[in-house]
Amino acid sequence: MPAYRSELLNVLDERQYTHQITDAESLDLLASQNVVPGYVGFDPTAASLHVGSLVQIMLLRRLQQTGHKPIVVMGGGTGKIGDPSGRDESRQMMTNEVIEGNIASIRKVFERILTFGDGPADAVMVNNDEWLSGLGYLDLLRDVGPHFTVNRMLTFDSVKTRLDREQPLTFLEFNYMILQAYDFRELAQRYGCRLQMGGSDQW
């Protein structure tokens, strides 16, 4: 007998894709009754993705195969800052042209694995630069800043590891997690997104 009501969670469980889930029961109920838009973010730091991205790509494929909507978020905005996760040093800054070229190259991979279109379970690819570049700094501080505490941010592995090793962590990189959270807000408003998937740094 299946462990879950929804095909989505049964498939992910059977294939051992899941490590941690926030409120599996509610997600299972939602996925058994509605199309669930879910996303994974990818940083366009190179013209191709590395093999470590394969699990996240397959999560999106399984999402679509079970009747749900995959959202591929290309980090054109966050890529301008650099993800501090798993890094001992700051990433090199890239020009807008390099970022756009990398996104165009990476899109070809997803076109072979996902079905894109306008249907309810068709995949979409978006660039978070669309909404992040338009944010005013003072507006962001006022509207978003009160929801984050430095105390909590310091407990995340991506930050803690760098500080424990006495490696520099720039203010730019420290803000990365706030921008990731803003992505979810924007995707929820634009696409009704209810699910974020990714590596343990997202947890």
Side-chain angles (χ1 to χ4, degrees), residues 102-118:
N102 289 347
I103 290 172
S105 179
I106 291 168
R107 182 180 175 89
K108 295 172 190 170
V109 172
F110 287 97
E111 287 173 342
R112 291 197 302 253
I113 296 170
L114 299 173
T115 302
F116 287 84
D118 297 324

Side-chain angles (χ1 to χ4, degrees), residues 39 73 78 128-136 139-141 143-145 147-148 175-190 196:
Y39 86 97
V73 177
T78 44
N128 67 7
D129 193 47
E130 289 177 37
W131 53 84
L132 293 180
S133 285
L135 286 176
D139 292 336
L140 182 68
L141 287 178
D143 298 338
V144 179
H147 301 286
F148 291 82
N175 281 277
Y176 189 85
M177 65 185 78
I178 294 174
L179 300 181
Q180 282 183 316
Y182 198 89
D183 283 349
F184 190 90
R185 173 192 178 275
E186 194 68 27
L187 294 169
Q189 289 182 342
R190 291 180 182 216
Q196 178 186 10

Side-chain angles (χ1 to χ4, degrees), residues 11-200:
V11 166
L12 297 183
D13 185 56
E14 176 186 302
R15 294 177 177 271
Q16 300 181 0
Y17 279 112
T18 53
H19 174 58
Q20 298 164 312
I21 303 179
T22 301
D23 198 357
E25 188 177 329
S26 294
L27 175 60
D28 186 35
L29 180 61
L30 182 68
S32 68
Q33 298 174 344
N34 301 286
V35 173
V36 177
Y39 86 97
V40 178
F42 299 89
D43 275 331
T45 52
S48 63
L49 297 172
H50 55 76
V51 71
S53 298
L54 185 58
V55 171
Q56 287 88 342
I57 294 170
M58 291 308 297
L59 277 168
L60 291 170
R61 181 169 169 81
R62 299 299 176 208
L63 187 72
Q64 189 169 53
Q65 287 176 330
T66 56
H68 302 283
K69 185 175 190 69
I71 303 170
V72 181
V73 177
M74 296 308 304
T78 44
K80 293 176 182 178
I81 294 174
D83 184 353
S85 303
R87 305 283 299 188
D88 284 337
E89 57 190 32
S90 299
R91 294 187 188 270
Q92 293 297 313
M93 294 292 171
M94 297 181 294
T95 65
N96 289 342
E97 292 74 25
V98 169
I99 291 171
E100 288 168 17
N102 289 347
I103 290 172
S105 179
I106 291 168
R107 182 180 175 89
K108 295 172 190 170
V109 172
F110 287 97
E111 287 173 342
R112 291 197 302 253
I113 296 170
L114 299 173
T115 302
F116 287 84
D118 297 324
D122 285 343
V124 295
M125 179 179 279
V126 296
N127 182 344
N128 67 7
D129 193 47
E130 289 177 37
W131 53 84
L132 293 180
S133 285
L135 286 176
Y137 186 62
L138 293 178
D139 292 336
L140 182 68
L141 287 178
R142 185 192 65 223
D143 298 338
V144 179
H147 301 286
F148 291 82
T149 65
V150 172
N151 311 59
R152 179 76 175 107
M153 292 167 78
L154 288 172
T155 66
F156 288 107
D157 284 344
S158 58
V159 173
K160 195 171 182 301
T161 303
R162 290 273 285 277
L163 296 178
D164 287 347
R165 293 181 182 166
E166 297 185 9
Q167 300 283 347
L169 178 71
T170 67
F171 179 70
L172 206 62
E173 293 171 297
F174 190 63
N175 281 277
Y176 189 85
M177 65 185 78
I178 294 174
L179 300 181
Q180 282 183 316
Y182 198 89
D183 283 349
F184 190 90
R185 173 192 178 275
E186 194 68 27
L187 294 169
Q189 289 182 342
R190 291 180 182 216
Y191 301 101
C193 185
R194 302 293 300 276
L195 175 64
Q196 178 186 10
M197 302 178 291
S200 58

